[in-house]
Amino acid sequence: MKENIGFNEIEIGMPLGVREIDVTKEAVDFYMEKSLWDSENFAEQETFAPPGIFNSDHVRMLTAALGGAGDRIWAKSNHQYIKPIRIGAKLKKTGNIADKYIKRGKQYLVYEVETRDENGNLIIKSRETSFFGPVGEGGKNES
Amino acid sequence: MKADRNVKVGFNIPSHEKIAHAPSYEDEVTTIHDDEHAQQRGFRGNLVGGGFLLGYTLQMLYRYFGADWMKHGAIEVSYIGGGAINGDRIEGNGVITEKKEEDSGVRLFLDVWLDNTATGKKILVGKASCRVH
């Protein structure tokens, strides 16, 4: 893990690196168990992964790029689903810092992530906003 | 009940209930998902990750839209109201707010939200849409 990069040092456009993911049936079953998916309500589970799988990888990309393991709390999420995630696919997620701002004394990072399959097809477009840094009482930033 | 293009604006899609669960991961990177740390920071406990709250919402939308959601779905949400901890009962809801003709189908627009019945607060609010045939 990298040494922490402070909020002021983060540059707009900074890449978040590449995260490669093999979409296995085991990964699908693991996610469905952890996220309480009712299997009877996901008829495509032998063929496709449920929407929402691998979303947590976005914050892992952020941490891999910026270092540290501080209080990262999601503030907003925006996802556009374009193609189903096929079991057996090899996904590649790439992202970059799109914006940063301070609101009511709290620091926020906005980052965009594209998820593509092994053929380069765009699967999901995502834009996430995360609170960045320490959290004080009631969620108020300490710094 | 599945989505269809003839649904009326104002229709409430079937709600979806979950007992919130914050799974533990060996490679956890976010300190707020540590119970003691979260309490020291003023929260009730280890917060259920936003990705899981979104996941509960997506399950509700998938149940209504079916496979169309994975090709034509879009969602934008904000996480508010202090979130949820293990054991909180969460209720997802959505209401059709608008319909627009689009390509070979109709895009349905919804307001979506999650209520945390343990705290009485909304913990996720947002807008979603999906094209149906």
Side-chain angles (χ1 to χ4, degrees):
Chain A
M1 187 174 289
K2 286 188 177 181
E3 192 173 331
N4 285 4
I5 297 177
F7 185 76
N8 292 334
E9 302 165 68
I10 296 170
E11 295 183 2
I12 309 301
M14 179 181 171
L16 298 182
V18 177
R19 193 166 181 90
E20 295 182 322
I21 301 167
D22 287 336
V23 185
T24 63
K25 183 70 170 68
E26 290 72 27
V28 169
D29 291 344
F30 181 78
Y31 173 73
M32 290 184 71
E33 180 191 343
K34 295 284 187 184
S35 59
L36 312 176
W37 266 84
D38 303 321
S39 56
E40 65 268 27
N41 287 325
F42 188 61
E44 289 86 1
Q45 65 183 287
E46 298 301 323
T47 312
F48 297 115
I53 193 171
F54 309 129
N55 277 356
S56 297
D57 287 75
H58 297 175
V59 75
R60 290 185 168 86
M61 291 172 70
L62 192 68
T63 298
L66 304 180
D71 292 338
R72 307 278 162 80
I73 301 176
W74 290 11
K76 296 179 181 178
S77 293
N78 185 329
H79 301 287
Q80 184 181 350
Y81 298 94
I82 298 158
K83 286 183 181 294
I85 300 173
R86 177 177 38 81
I87 293 176
K90 294 183 181 299
L91 300 182
K92 186 180 282 187
K93 285 180 178 282
T94 57
N96 63 277
I97 301 291
D99 196 9
K100 65 177 184 177
Y101 61 90
I102 297 174
K103 186 176 178 183
R104 295 179 190 148
K106 295 182 188 177
Q107 302 170 155
Y108 293 91
L109 285 180
V110 182
Y111 52 108
E112 294 174 332
V113 177
E114 283 191 351
T115 304
R116 293 181 181 272
D117 67 13
E118 65 274 21
N119 298 315
N121 296 313
L122 184 59
I123 306 294
I124 306 169
K125 282 183 75 171
S126 303
R127 184 178 172 93
E128 310 272 18
T129 304
S130 288
F131 170 76
F132 178 85
V135 180
E137 189 171 346
K140 189 174 180 182
N141 199 342
E142 290 178 330
S143 58
Chain B
M1 176 178 289
K2 294 291 183 188
D4 79 77
R5 60 187 300 151
N6 298 314
V7 67
K8 291 192 177 347
V9 170
F11 176 76
N12 291 285
I13 70 172
S15 62
H16 191 66
E17 286 190 10
K18 291 287 177 190
I19 301 299
H21 174 60
S24 57
Y25 288 98
E26 289 179 2
D27 61 342
E28 182 59 67
V29 295
T30 307
T31 51
I32 203 65
H33 295 313
D34 175 80
D35 213 33
E36 188 176 340
H37 177 82
Q39 288 175 359
Q40 287 172 357
R41 294 297 191 181
F43 294 99
R44 292 186 299 137
N46 168 16
L47 292 178
V48 175
F52 290 104
L53 300 182
L54 177 66
Y56 300 159
T57 311
L58 292 173
Q59 290 180 52
M60 173 180 72
L61 292 164
Y62 174 81
R63 282 176 64 190
Y64 184 61
F65 288 106
D68 280 342
W69 178 262
M70 298 193 287
K71 293 176 282 188
H72 307 297
I75 187 166
E76 180 170 9
V77 300
S78 296
Y79 307 95
I80 61 173
I85 63 172
N86 270 328
D88 287 353
R89 192 171 71 86
I90 309 299
E91 184 181 287
N93 291 284
V95 60
I96 306 289
T97 57
E98 189 180 358
K99 297 166 61 175
K100 277 186 184 172
E101 295 284 339
E102 179 184 283
D103 297 334
S104 57
V106 172
R107 182 162 288 270
L108 305 180
F109 294 82
L110 306 91
D111 285 344
V112 293
W113 67 95
L114 292 182
D115 290 313
N116 185 337
T117 63
T119 63
K121 293 182 177 178
K122 281 188 169 53
I123 57 171
L124 176 149
V125 295
K127 296 185 178 300
S129 73
C130 186
R131 192 175 85 194
V132 297
H133 299 285

